[in-house]
Amino acid sequence: MALRLLRGKDGRLTAYAQVAGGVARWTEDRPGGSSWTGPWLIEVPGLSQVTVAQGADGYAHLLGTRRTEDKDGPRVDIVHATQFQTGRPLTAWHSLGTPHPKDRAKARRIGPPAAALDSTGALRVFVRNAGGGVSARRQDPKGTWERWTDWKGTHLLDGLSAAATADGRLELFAPAGKGAALRWYQPKPGAAPQRGEDIPADAQPDSASAVESSPGTLTHYWRDAHSGEVLAWRPDAPAPARLGGATGTGPVAAVRAVVDGHDCTVLAHRDTATGALAVAAYPCEDEAAGVWWTPSGEPGAHTPALAIDGRGRVVLAALGLDGGLLVARQKTDEAGLALEAWTRVGRG
């Protein structure tokens, strides 16, 4: 699980990270403040491949793969819990089963879950199924779960990326073999999702992410399977744009932010060449302007996350080698994307 950093309705940030035995959670004591509470361990035996999705209501939905053992042998299911308010306990974990309820061997071959909420408040959960396609399950706004459905597709790799625009139009990016990625999208808020044209993307598994780069438009990012470079694409782009960062690893963290009065996209990843984090910022949807990666943070920091805090500042968070949370905030009195000194919050 990549570290996730979400802002609640009260303006406070919450960080979530998968740890041994479950999920660690840290919470700001006040919006934009320097003190945090945590880590608090959310215990879930056998939990892995955790993701977190957030809707317009601010609720945080945690999903993961749970592996257990019973009298019939190994068992795999997707589990879900909800945090309704910042700093409050989660609901009980609820099993969503898998797309293969009668075949445990197939269930063990599913991929990690991805999730997003649409304009109606419905939560959709996606997994790569044992046949290499996409299976989805929907929770309606009243909390009722529908059955797993088959969205088709073939040759999918791990690392589905689901996201939604501010107006609630959902998109799913699914890396596949043979030099393509599959995409599903809602043409308008509340519409039934439909399959889009394949994207010319030879993506590394588990490297995709997305951010709303302008009202109603998502930009998708992934790493090229051959060069390791970060690429960016959105529906109106003629071809993916190369953003460098070939020495990085995993999906990039991305957030839309104001830098020097300009509407920008901020990216972060771990640079394997230096062992530290690297950060870049460029004008939203203007990849041709160039992207320069700048080292930031102490060596060993990994799984970065980005968010905007309750005071409108960019916040970069990461995990240290000891499992502690590291946090750096945007300086407001310097030009460019300058960050304050790192603060160590606590050990996971």
Side-chain angles (χ1 to χ4, degrees):
M1 170 190 180
L3 180 71
R4 292 300 307 274
L5 196 60
L6 302 182
R7 188 174 72 191
K9 278 291 190 179
D10 64 357
R12 289 189 293 161
L13 296 176
T14 303
Y16 304 88
Q18 183 180 314
V19 295
V23 177
R25 188 185 78 183
W26 297 260
T27 306
E28 275 187 321
D29 290 335
R30 59 183 177 84
S34 59
S35 62
W36 296 64
T37 297
W40 179 59
L41 177 63
I42 303 167
E43 295 188 61
V44 190
L47 186 69
S48 64
Q49 301 175 324
V50 179
T51 189
V52 187
Q54 186 180 39
D57 55 14
Y59 299 169
H61 296 265
L62 280 70
L63 297 119
T65 304
R66 181 174 61 185
R67 301 178 187 276
T68 55
E69 190 99 15
D70 60 20
K71 61 182 180 62
D72 296 320
R75 180 173 183 266
V76 170
D77 62 346
I78 301 298
V79 292
H80 166 252
T82 306
Q83 182 180 325
F84 294 111
Q85 290 181 296
T86 304
R88 302 296 297 170
L90 277 69
T91 63
W93 290 85
H94 171 70
S95 175
L96 305 185
T98 74
H100 312 289
K102 298 181 179 180
D103 192 325
R104 291 195 177 196
K106 285 186 176 180
R108 291 195 294 271
R109 301 206 304 270
I110 65 173
L117 292 99
D118 66 18
S119 61
T120 69
L123 170 67
R124 279 189 169 88
V125 180
F126 308 94
V127 297
R128 176 191 52 74
N129 58 42
V134 170
S135 289
R137 193 166 184 188
R138 179 180 182 271
Q139 183 189 42
D140 70 24
K142 295 183 179 180
T144 301
W145 285 96
E146 300 171 356
R147 295 182 178 181
W148 286 98
T149 57
D150 187 357
W151 281 27
K152 307 303 181 181
T154 58
H155 306 294
L156 296 190
L157 309 175
D158 281 348
L160 307 183
S161 173
T165 58
D167 64 0
R169 288 189 298 106
L170 180 147
E171 291 192 21
L172 177 69
F173 176 99
K178 300 184 178 180
L182 280 53
R183 174 177 170 262
W184 286 261
Y185 71 101
Q186 288 177 300
K188 61 182 181 180
Q194 61 186 49
R195 175 83 176 267
E197 293 185 4
D198 291 354
I199 302 169
D202 194 358
Q204 289 182 6
D206 298 313
S207 71
S209 59
V211 70
E212 186 172 19
S213 50
S214 65
T217 300
L218 291 170
T219 295
H220 298 272
Y221 299 92
W222 66 88
R223 291 192 182 279
D224 184 79
H226 305 287
S227 68
E229 272 190 292
V230 177
L231 285 89
W233 180 91
R234 61 190 154 271
D236 62 351
R242 294 186 176 274
L243 305 182
T247 56
T249 183
V252 295
V255 71
R256 187 178 172 194
V258 175
V259 179
D260 286 345
H262 300 287
D263 185 13
C264 292
T265 299
V266 180
L267 306 175
H269 67 187
R270 184 172 186 271
D271 191 323
T272 56
T274 63
L277 303 184
V279 180
Y282 69 95
C284 282
E285 303 187 351
D286 188 11
E287 288 82 9
V291 174
W292 291 268
W293 295 90
T294 303
S296 177
E298 61 185 66
H302 58 101
T303 58
L306 287 164
I308 305 299
D309 72 9
R311 295 171 56 188
R313 298 174 296 176
V314 175
V315 178
L316 174 61
L319 294 178
L321 290 177
D322 64 352
L325 181 68
L326 303 170
V327 177
R329 298 179 194 267
Q330 180 182 11
K331 292 182 179 180
T332 57
D333 57 354
E334 289 189 23
L337 185 63
L339 298 175
E340 296 174 351
W342 286 85
T343 299
R344 182 174 294 273
V345 174
R347 181 176 178 178

